[in-house]
Amino acid sequence: MRHQIHDLLAPLPGTARQIHSFHFGPQPSHRKIYIQASLHADEMPGMLVAWHLKQRLTELEAAGRLHSEIVLVPIANPVGLEQMLMDVPLGRYELESGQNFNRWFVDLSEEVGNEIEGKLGDDPQHNLQLIRSCLRDALARQSADTQLQSQRLILQRLACDADMVLDLHCDFEAVAHLYTTPEAWPQVEPLARYIGAEASLLATDSGGQSFDECFTLLWWQLKERFGEHFDIPPGSFSVTVELRGQGDVNHPLASIDCQALIDYLIHYGAIAGEPAPLPDLPYPATPLAGVEPVTTPVGGLLVFAALPGEYLEAGQLIAEIIDPIIDRVTPVHCSAAGLMYARSLRRMATAGMVIAHVAGAEAYRSGYLLSP
Ligand SMILES: [Zn+2]
C-alpha cells in the first residue's frame, strides 16, 4: 500500500488541509479502481466502509490477490468535515460559497476533444490511451483559485483515469440505492445486487456536473462528437452508492457493505477469487427522471406514515403535516406508484420542502434532476 498526501490550496496563512489517498495493488496495472467516501462530509456510512475496506485490501494485497490498482480516499472532503456550527455538522454545502461539494467538477470534454482531433485511429485501445493521457494533461494544466476548487481538482486528478469510480454517499433516512448512467447499467447491475440496492436510478446527464458524471459525461460527449468515424470506448464508468441514511454508521452494516464491494471487485476481475453468487436484484433500475421529489404545500409537524423501502401505490399517504395552532392536518401523498427510497430527517417541515423521494418507473421530469 502506498500512502500519498495531496495538499489543498491554503486559503489563509498558517492553515493546511490534505487529501490522503491509499493505493493498493500493482501499479501500473491494466485496470484502475477509484473509491472515495464522504464527499458530502456529513455522510459517514461510506467512511466507515472505506476504513473496513482499507484493512481488507491490505490483507488481500499481502496475499497477492489484487489484479488492479485500487485507490481509496476515505475522507474526500476535509473542507466540509470541519464545518461545524453550534453542534451541527454542515458537510453538504461549502459555507464560504454556498456550493454543493458534489457539483461543478470541471468539464474538459471540449478541451480534450480539440486535443485529440486528428489523432484518433482505428484501434479503440489507442483511442482510450490517447484520451486518458490528454485528460490527465488537461487536468494538470487546470489551476485553482480557491480551496474548494483545489479539493475538486485533486479528487478529479486521482480518479480521471480509473476504469471504475465508486463514490460512497448516503441520504437522510434511506435504504441502500445508487445512481449511475443507462450506458453503465450492465456493468453496475452486479454491484446493485451485491449491495442490495433497493433503487437504481439512471441518468446520462442530470445537470450538476457531479463527481460521478464528470467522468462518464466526458466519454459520452467524445463519443457523440467522434463516434461516427472512430471507435471511442467508454473509458470510465462511475456510480454514486448511497449507503442508507446518515445515522446508519455501525460495524455490522459497514462490514456487510465492505464485503459487498469486495464481492463486486472479485466479480469484476480486480481481485482474484471465486465470485460470490449474485443475489437477486431487489428492484429494477428506473430513470432518475421518474423520481418524484414529494413536497409538502404547507409547513408544520412532519409525521411520516411510510418507511424508507416501502413500495407505494399512486396516491398513497406518505405523511401528515400538522399545524398545532389551527389544528389543521394536511395529508401528503405521492402521485405515481414507486419505491420510497429516502425521506427527510427533519420533523418540522416548511412549505414547499421535499419530504421524500419515490422512484417511479416512468420518466416525467427533464432538465436539472438533482437536489440543490
Ligand atoms: Zn451525498
Side-chain angles (χ1 to χ4, degrees), residues 216-285:
T216 44
L217 264 181
L218 176 110
W219 294 92
W220 187 79
Q221 278 161 351
L222 293 177
K223 198 179 170 70
E224 290 284 291
R225 181 165 164 186
F226 300 105
E228 209 176 307
H229 303 291
F230 299 101
D231 192 347
I232 310 282
S236 168
F237 73 94
S238 48
V239 193
T240 296
V241 186
E242 302 277 347
L243 297 171
R244 306 175 199 82
Q246 284 181 339
D248 296 320
V249 182
N250 59 64
H251 285 306
L253 280 178
S255 129
I256 289 169
D257 291 340
C258 171
Q259 187 58 48
L261 293 180
I262 286 175
D263 287 339
Y264 179 55
L265 292 173
I266 293 174
H267 184 274
Y268 183 74
I271 299 176
E274 196 56 44
L278 280 170
D280 288 338
L281 185 66
Y283 189 69

Coordinates of all heavy atoms in Angstrom, one line a residue, residues 216-285:
T216 N -18.1 10.0 -16.6 CA -18.8 9.3 -17.7 C -19.2 10.3 -18.8 O -19.2 9.9 -20.0 CB -20.1 8.7 -17.1 OG1 -20.7 9.6 -16.2 CG2 -19.7 7.4 -16.4
L217 N -19.6 11.5 -18.4 CA -20.0 12.5 -19.4 C -18.9 12.8 -20.4 O -19.2 13.0 -21.6 CB -20.5 13.8 -18.7 CG -21.9 14.0 -18.4 CD1 -22.2 15.3 -17.8 CD2 -22.8 13.8 -19.7
L218 N -17.7 12.9 -20.0 CA -16.6 13.2 -20.9 C -16.5 12.1 -22.0 O -16.5 12.5 -23.2 CB -15.2 13.2 -20.1 CG -14.0 13.4 -21.0 CD1 -13.4 14.7 -20.8 CD2 -13.0 12.3 -20.8
W219 N -16.6 10.9 -21.6 CA -16.5 9.8 -22.7 C -17.8 9.8 -23.5 O -17.7 9.5 -24.7 CB -16.3 8.4 -22.0 CG -15.0 8.3 -21.3 CD1 -14.8 8.7 -20.0 CD2 -13.8 8.0 -21.9 NE1 -13.4 8.5 -19.7 CE2 -12.8 8.1 -20.9 CE3 -13.4 7.5 -23.1 CZ2 -11.4 7.7 -21.1 CZ3 -12.0 7.2 -23.3 CH2 -11.1 7.3 -22.3
W220 N -18.9 10.1 -22.9 CA -20.1 10.1 -23.7 C -20.1 11.3 -24.7 O -20.5 11.1 -25.8 CB -21.3 10.3 -22.7 CG -22.7 10.2 -23.3 CD1 -23.3 9.1 -23.6 CD2 -23.5 11.3 -23.6 NE1 -24.5 9.4 -24.1 CE2 -24.7 10.7 -24.2 CE3 -23.4 12.7 -23.5 CZ2 -25.8 11.5 -24.6 CZ3 -24.5 13.4 -24.0 CH2 -25.6 12.9 -24.5
Q221 N -19.6 12.4 -24.3 CA -19.6 13.6 -25.2 C -18.6 13.4 -26.3 O -18.8 13.8 -27.4 CB -19.3 14.9 -24.4 CG -20.6 15.4 -23.8 CD -20.3 16.4 -22.7 OE1 -19.2 16.6 -22.2 NE2 -21.4 17.1 -22.2
L222 N -17.4 12.7 -26.0 CA -16.4 12.4 -27.0 C -17.0 11.5 -28.0 O -16.8 11.5 -29.2 CB -15.1 11.9 -26.4 CG -14.3 12.9 -25.6 CD1 -13.1 12.3 -25.0 CD2 -14.0 14.2 -26.4
K223 N -17.8 10.5 -27.5 CA -18.4 9.5 -28.4 C -19.4 10.2 -29.3 O -19.5 10.0 -30.5 CB -19.1 8.4 -27.6 CG -19.4 7.2 -28.4 CD -20.1 6.2 -27.5 CE -20.6 5.0 -28.3 NZ -19.6 4.1 -28.9
E224 N -20.2 11.2 -28.8 CA -21.2 12.0 -29.6 C -20.4 12.7 -30.7 O -20.9 12.8 -31.8 CB -21.9 13.0 -28.7 CG -22.9 12.4 -27.7 CD -24.1 12.0 -28.4 OE1 -24.9 12.9 -28.8 OE2 -24.4 10.8 -28.5
R225 N -19.3 13.3 -30.3 CA -18.5 14.1 -31.3 C -17.8 13.3 -32.4 O -17.8 13.7 -33.5 CB -17.6 15.0 -30.5 CG -16.7 16.0 -31.3 CD -16.1 17.0 -30.4 NE -15.0 17.7 -31.1 CZ -14.2 18.6 -30.6 NH1 -14.4 18.9 -29.3 NH2 -13.3 19.2 -31.3
F226 N -17.2 12.2 -31.9 CA -16.3 11.5 -32.9 C -16.8 10.1 -33.2 O -16.2 9.4 -34.1 CB -14.9 11.4 -32.3 CG -14.2 12.7 -32.0 CD1 -14.1 13.1 -30.7 CD2 -13.7 13.5 -33.0 CE1 -13.4 14.4 -30.4 CE2 -13.1 14.7 -32.8 CZ -13.0 15.1 -31.5
G227 N -17.8 9.6 -32.5 CA -18.2 8.2 -32.6 C -18.6 7.7 -34.0 O -18.6 6.5 -34.2
E228 N -19.0 8.7 -34.8 CA -19.5 8.3 -36.2 C -18.3 7.7 -37.0 O -18.5 6.8 -37.8 CB -20.1 9.5 -36.9 CG -21.1 9.1 -37.9 CD -21.8 10.3 -38.5 OE1 -22.2 11.2 -37.7 OE2 -21.8 10.4 -39.7
H229 N -17.1 8.2 -36.7 CA -16.0 7.8 -37.5 C -14.9 7.0 -36.8 O -14.1 6.3 -37.4 CB -15.3 9.1 -38.1 CG -16.2 9.9 -39.0 ND1 -16.7 9.5 -40.2 CD2 -16.7 11.1 -38.7 CE1 -17.5 10.4 -40.7 NE2 -17.5 11.4 -39.8
F230 N -15.0 7.1 -35.4 CA -14.0 6.4 -34.6 C -14.6 5.6 -33.5 O -15.7 6.0 -33.0 CB -13.0 7.4 -34.0 CG -12.2 8.2 -35.1 CD1 -12.6 9.5 -35.4 CD2 -11.1 7.6 -35.8 CE1 -11.9 10.2 -36.4 CE2 -10.5 8.3 -36.7 CZ -10.9 9.6 -37.0
D231 N -13.9 4.6 -33.1 CA -14.4 3.7 -32.0 C -13.9 4.4 -30.7 O -12.7 4.3 -30.4 CB -13.8 2.3 -32.2 CG -14.5 1.3 -31.3 OD1 -15.2 1.8 -30.3 OD2 -14.3 0.1 -31.5
I232 N -14.8 5.0 -30.0 CA -14.5 5.6 -28.7 C -15.0 4.7 -27.6 O -16.3 4.7 -27.4 CB -15.1 7.0 -28.5 CG1 -14.8 7.9 -29.8 CG2 -14.6 7.7 -27.2 CD1 -13.4 8.5 -29.8
P233 N -14.2 3.9 -26.9 CA -14.8 3.1 -25.9 C -15.2 3.9 -24.6 O -14.7 5.0 -24.4 CB -13.6 2.1 -25.5 CG -12.4 2.9 -25.9 CD -12.7 3.9 -26.9
P234 N -16.1 3.3 -23.9 CA -16.5 4.0 -22.6 C -15.3 3.8 -21.6 O -15.2 2.8 -21.0 CB -17.8 3.3 -22.1 CG -17.8 2.0 -22.8 CD -16.9 2.1 -24.0
G235 N -14.4 4.8 -21.5 CA -13.2 4.6 -20.7 C -13.4 4.6 -19.2 O -12.5 4.1 -18.5
S236 N -14.6 5.0 -18.8 CA -14.7 5.0 -17.3 C -16.2 4.9 -17.0 O -17.0 5.5 -17.7 CB -14.2 6.4 -16.9 OG -14.5 6.7 -15.6
F237 N -16.6 4.2 -16.0 CA -17.9 4.3 -15.5 C -17.9 4.5 -14.0 O -17.0 4.2 -13.3 CB -18.7 3.0 -15.9 CG -18.4 1.8 -15.0 CD1 -19.1 1.5 -13.9 CD2 -17.3 1.0 -15.4 CE1 -18.8 0.3 -13.1 CE2 -17.0 -0.2 -14.7 CZ -17.7 -0.5 -13.5
S238 N -19.0 5.2 -13.6 CA -19.0 5.6 -12.2 C -20.3 5.4 -11.6 O -21.4 5.4 -12.3 CB -18.5 7.1 -12.0 OG -19.1 7.9 -12.9
V239 N -20.3 5.3 -10.2 CA -21.5 5.0 -9.5 C -21.5 5.8 -8.2 O -20.5 5.8 -7.5 CB -21.6 3.5 -9.1 CG1 -23.0 3.2 -8.6 CG2 -21.2 2.6 -10.2
T240 N -22.6 6.5 -7.9 CA -22.8 7.1 -6.6 C -23.6 6.1 -5.8 O -24.7 5.7 -6.1 CB -23.5 8.4 -6.7 OG1 -22.7 9.3 -7.4 CG2 -23.8 9.0 -5.3
V241 N -22.9 5.5 -4.8 CA -23.6 4.5 -4.0 C -24.1 5.1 -2.7 O -23.3 5.7 -1.9 CB -22.5 3.4 -3.6 CG1 -23.2 2.2 -2.9 CG2 -21.8 2.9 -4.9
E242 N -25.4 5.0 -2.4 CA -26.0 5.6 -1.3 C -26.2 4.5 -0.2 O -27.1 3.7 -0.3 CB -27.3 6.3 -1.6 CG -27.2 7.3 -2.8 CD -26.8 8.7 -2.3 OE1 -26.8 8.9 -1.0 OE2 -26.4 9.5 -3.1
L243 N -25.3 4.6 0.8 CA -25.3 3.6 1.9 C -26.3 3.9 3.0 O -25.9 4.3 4.1 CB -23.9 3.3 2.4 CG -23.0 2.8 1.3 CD1 -21.5 2.8 1.7 CD2 -23.4 1.4 0.8
R244 N -27.6 3.9 2.6 CA -28.7 4.2 3.6 C -28.7 5.6 4.1 O -28.4 6.5 3.3 CB -28.7 3.1 4.7 CG -28.7 1.7 4.1 CD -28.6 0.6 5.2 NE -28.1 -0.6 4.6 CZ -26.9 -0.9 4.3 NH1 -25.9 -0.1 4.6 NH2 -26.6 -2.0 3.7
G245 N -29.0 5.7 5.4 CA -29.2 7.1 6.0 C -28.0 7.5 6.8 O -27.1 6.8 7.2
Q246 N -28.1 8.8 7.2 CA -26.9 9.4 7.9 C -26.6 8.7 9.3 O -25.5 8.7 9.7 CB -27.2 10.9 8.2 CG -27.0 11.7 6.9 CD -27.2 13.2 7.2 OE1 -27.9 13.6 8.1 NE2 -26.7 14.0 6.3
G247 N -27.7 8.2 9.9 CA -27.5 7.5 11.2 C -27.0 6.1 11.1 O -26.7 5.4 12.1
D248 N -26.9 5.6 9.9 CA -26.6 4.1 9.7 C -25.1 3.9 9.7 O -24.5 3.4 8.7 CB -27.2 3.6 8.4 CG -28.7 3.6 8.5 OD1 -29.3 3.3 9.6 OD2 -29.4 4.0 7.5
V249 N -24.4 4.2 10.8 CA -23.0 4.1 10.9 C -22.7 3.0 12.0 O -22.8 3.4 13.2 CB -22.3 5.4 11.3 CG1 -20.8 5.3 11.4 CG2 -22.7 6.5 10.3
N250 N -22.5 1.8 11.6 CA -22.2 0.8 12.6 C -21.4 -0.3 11.9 O -21.5 -0.5 10.7 CB -23.5 0.3 13.3 CG -24.5 -0.3 12.3 OD1 -24.2 -1.3 11.6 ND2 -25.7 0.3 12.1
H251 N -20.7 -1.1 12.8 CA -19.8 -2.1 12.2 C -20.6 -3.2 11.5 O -20.1 -3.7 10.4 CB -19.0 -2.7 13.3 CG -17.9 -1.8 13.7 ND1 -17.0 -1.2 12.8 CD2 -17.5 -1.3 14.9 CE1 -16.1 -0.4 13.4 NE2 -16.4 -0.4 14.7
P252 N -21.7 -3.8 12.0 CA -22.4 -4.8 11.2 C -22.7 -4.4 9.8 O -22.4 -5.2 8.8 CB -23.6 -5.1 12.0 CG -23.3 -4.7 13.4 CD -22.4 -3.5 13.3
L253 N -23.3 -3.2 9.6 CA -23.7 -2.8 8.2 C -22.4 -2.5 7.4 O -22.3 -2.9 6.2 CB -24.5 -1.5 8.3 CG -26.0 -1.7 8.6 CD1 -26.7 -0.3 8.7 CD2 -26.7 -2.6 7.6
A254 N -21.4 -1.8 8.0 CA -20.2 -1.5 7.3 C -19.5 -2.8 6.8 O -18.9 -2.8 5.7 CB -19.3 -0.6 8.1
S255 N -19.5 -3.8 7.7 CA -18.8 -5.0 7.3 C -19.5 -5.7 6.1 O -18.9 -6.3 5.2 CB -18.5 -5.8 8.5 OG -18.9 -7.1 8.4
I256 N -20.9 -5.7 6.2 CA -21.7 -6.2 5.1 C -21.4 -5.5 3.8 O -21.2 -6.1 2.7 CB -23.2 -6.2 5.4 CG1 -23.5 -7.2 6.5 CG2 -24.0 -6.5 4.2 CD1 -24.9 -7.1 7.1
D257 N -21.4 -4.1 3.9 CA -21.2 -3.3 2.7 C -19.7 -3.5 2.1 O -19.5 -3.5 0.9 CB -21.4 -1.8 3.0 CG -22.9 -1.5 3.3 OD1 -23.7 -2.3 2.9 OD2 -23.2 -0.5 3.9
C258 N -18.8 -3.6 3.0 CA -17.4 -3.8 2.6 C -17.3 -5.1 1.9 O -16.7 -5.2 0.8 CB -16.5 -3.8 3.9 SG -14.8 -4.3 3.5
Q259 N -17.9 -6.2 2.4 CA -17.9 -7.5 1.7 C -18.6 -7.4 0.4 O -18.1 -8.0 -0.6 CB -18.6 -8.6 2.6 CG -18.4 -10.0 2.1 CD -17.0 -10.4 1.9 OE1 -16.2 -10.2 2.8 NE2 -16.7 -10.9 0.7
A260 N -19.7 -6.6 0.3 CA -20.4 -6.5 -1.0 C -19.5 -5.8 -2.0 O -19.4 -6.2 -3.2 CB -21.6 -5.6 -0.8
L261 N -18.7 -4.8 -1.6 CA -17.8 -4.2 -2.6 C -16.7 -5.1 -3.0 O -16.3 -5.2 -4.2 CB -17.2 -2.9 -1.9 CG -18.2 -1.7 -1.7 CD1 -17.4 -0.6 -1.1 CD2 -18.9 -1.3 -3.0
I262 N -16.2 -5.9 -2.1 CA -15.1 -6.9 -2.4 C -15.7 -8.0 -3.4 O -15.1 -8.3 -4.4 CB -14.5 -7.5 -1.1 CG1 -13.6 -6.4 -0.5 CG2 -13.7 -8.7 -1.4 CD1 -13.0 -6.7 0.8
D263 N -16.9 -8.4 -3.1 CA -17.5 -9.4 -4.0 C -17.7 -8.8 -5.4 O -17.4 -9.5 -6.4 CB -18.9 -9.8 -3.5 CG -18.9 -10.7 -2.2 OD1 -17.8 -11.3 -2.0 OD2 -19.9 -10.7 -1.5
Y264 N -18.0 -7.6 -5.4 CA -18.2 -6.9 -6.7 C -16.8 -6.8 -7.5 O -16.7 -7.1 -8.7 CB -18.8 -5.5 -6.6 CG -19.0 -4.8 -7.9 CD1 -19.7 -5.4 -8.9 CD2 -18.5 -3.5 -8.0 CE1 -19.9 -4.7 -10.1 CE2 -18.7 -2.8 -9.2 CZ -19.4 -3.4 -10.3 OH -19.5 -2.7 -11.4
L265 N -15.8 -6.4 -6.7 CA -14.5 -6.3 -7.3 C -13.9 -7.7 -7.8 O -13.2 -7.8 -8.7 CB -13.5 -5.6 -6.3 CG -13.9 -4.1 -6.1 CD1 -13.0 -3.6 -5.0 CD2 -13.7 -3.3 -7.3
I266 N -14.3 -8.7 -7.0 CA -13.9 -10.1 -7.5 C -14.7 -10.4 -8.8 O -14.1 -10.9 -9.8 CB -14.2 -11.1 -6.4 CG1 -13.3 -10.9 -5.2 CG2 -14.1 -12.6 -7.0 CD1 -13.6 -11.8 -4.0
H267 N -16.0 -10.1 -8.8 CA -16.8 -10.4 -9.9 C -16.3 -9.6 -11.2 O -16.3 -10.1 -12.3 CB -18.2 -9.9 -9.6 CG -19.2 -10.2 -10.7 ND1 -19.4 -9.4 -11.8 CD2 -20.0 -11.3 -10.9 CE1 -20.3 -9.9 -12.6 NE2 -20.7 -11.1 -12.1
Y268 N -15.8 -8.4 -10.9 CA -15.3 -7.5 -12.0 C -13.9 -8.0 -12.5 O -13.5 -7.6 -13.6 CB -15.2 -6.1 -11.4 CG -14.8 -5.0 -12.4 CD1 -15.6 -4.6 -13.4 CD2 -13.5 -4.5 -12.3 CE1 -15.2 -3.6 -14.3 CE2 -13.1 -3.5 -13.2 CZ -14.0 -3.1 -14.2 OH -13.6 -2.1 -15.1
G269 N -13.2 -8.8 -11.6 CA -11.9 -9.2 -12.0 C -10.7 -8.4 -11.4 O -9.6 -8.7 -11.8
A270 N -11.0 -7.5 -10.5 CA -10.0 -6.7 -10.0 C -9.3 -7.4 -8.8 O -8.2 -7.0 -8.4 CB -10.5 -5.3 -9.5
I271 N -10.0 -8.3 -8.2 CA -9.4 -9.1 -7.1 C -9.6 -10.6 -7.5 O -10.6 -11.0 -8.0 CB -10.2 -8.8 -5.8 CG1 -10.1 -7.4 -5.4 CG2 -9.7 -9.7 -4.6 CD1 -10.9 -7.0 -4.1
A272 N -8.5 -11.4 -7.2 CA -8.6 -12.8 -7.5 C -9.5 -13.5 -6.6 O -9.5 -13.2 -5.4 CB -7.1 -13.4 -7.5
G273 N -10.2 -14.5 -7.1 CA -11.1 -15.3 -6.2 C -12.3 -15.7 -6.9 O -12.6 -15.4 -8.1
E274 N -13.0 -16.6 -6.2 CA -14.3 -17.1 -6.8 C -15.4 -16.1 -6.4 O -15.6 -15.8 -5.3 CB -14.5 -18.5 -6.1 CG -15.6 -19.3 -6.8 CD -15.2 -19.6 -8.3 OE1 -14.1 -19.9 -8.6 OE2 -16.2 -19.5 -9.1
P275 N -16.1 -15.6 -7.4 CA -17.1 -14.6 -7.1 C -18.3 -15.2 -6.3 O -18.7 -16.3 -6.6 CB -17.6 -14.1 -8.5 CG -16.8 -14.8 -9.5 CD -16.0 -15.8 -8.9
A276 N -18.8 -14.5 -5.3 CA -19.9 -14.9 -4.6 C -21.1 -15.0 -5.5 O -21.2 -14.2 -6.4 CB -20.2 -14.0 -3.4
P277 N -22.1 -15.9 -5.2 CA -23.2 -16.0 -6.1 C -24.0 -14.6 -6.1 O -24.1 -14.0 -5.0 CB -24.1 -17.1 -5.5 CG -23.3 -17.7 -4.4 CD -22.1 -16.9 -4.1
L278 N -24.5 -14.3 -7.2 CA -25.2 -13.0 -7.3 C -26.6 -13.0 -6.7 O -27.4 -13.9 -7.1 CB -25.4 -12.6 -8.8 CG -24.2 -12.0 -9.5 CD1 -24.5 -11.9 -11.0 CD2 -23.9 -10.6 -9.0
P279 N -26.8 -12.2 -5.7 CA -28.2 -12.2 -5.1 C -29.2 -11.6 -6.1 O -28.8 -11.0 -7.1 CB -28.1 -11.2 -3.9 CG -26.6 -10.9 -3.7 CD -26.0 -11.2 -5.0
D280 N -30.5 -11.8 -5.8 CA -31.5 -11.2 -6.7 C -31.4 -9.6 -6.7 O -31.0 -9.1 -5.6 CB -32.9 -11.6 -6.3 CG -33.2 -13.1 -6.6 OD1 -32.5 -13.6 -7.5 OD2 -34.0 -13.7 -5.9
L281 N -31.8 -9.0 -7.7 CA -31.9 -7.5 -7.8 C -33.2 -7.2 -7.0 O -34.2 -7.6 -7.4 CB -31.9 -7.0 -9.2 CG -31.9 -5.5 -9.4 CD1 -30.5 -5.0 -8.9 CD2 -32.1 -5.2 -10.9
P282 N -33.0 -6.4 -5.9 CA -34.3 -6.1 -5.1 C -35.3 -5.3 -5.9 O -36.5 -5.5 -5.7 CB -33.7 -5.2 -4.0 CG -32.3 -5.4 -3.9 CD -31.8 -5.8 -5.3
Y283 N -34.9 -4.5 -6.9 CA -35.9 -3.6 -7.5 C -35.3 -3.2 -8.9 O -34.1 -2.9 -8.9 CB -36.2 -2.4 -6.7 CG -37.3 -1.5 -7.1 CD1 -38.6 -1.9 -7.0 CD2 -37.1 -0.2 -7.6 CE1 -39.7 -1.1 -7.4 CE2 -38.1 0.7 -8.0 CZ -39.4 0.2 -7.9 OH -40.5 1.0 -8.2
P284 N -36.0 -3.3 -10.0 CA -35.4 -3.0 -11.3 C -34.9 -1.5 -11.3 O -35.4 -0.6 -10.6 CB -36.5 -3.2 -12.3 CG -37.8 -3.3 -11.5 CD -37.4 -3.6 -10.1
A285 N -33.9 -1.3 -12.2 CA -33.4 0.1 -12.4 C -34.6 1.0 -13.0 O -35.4 0.5 -13.8 CB -32.2 0.1 -13.4

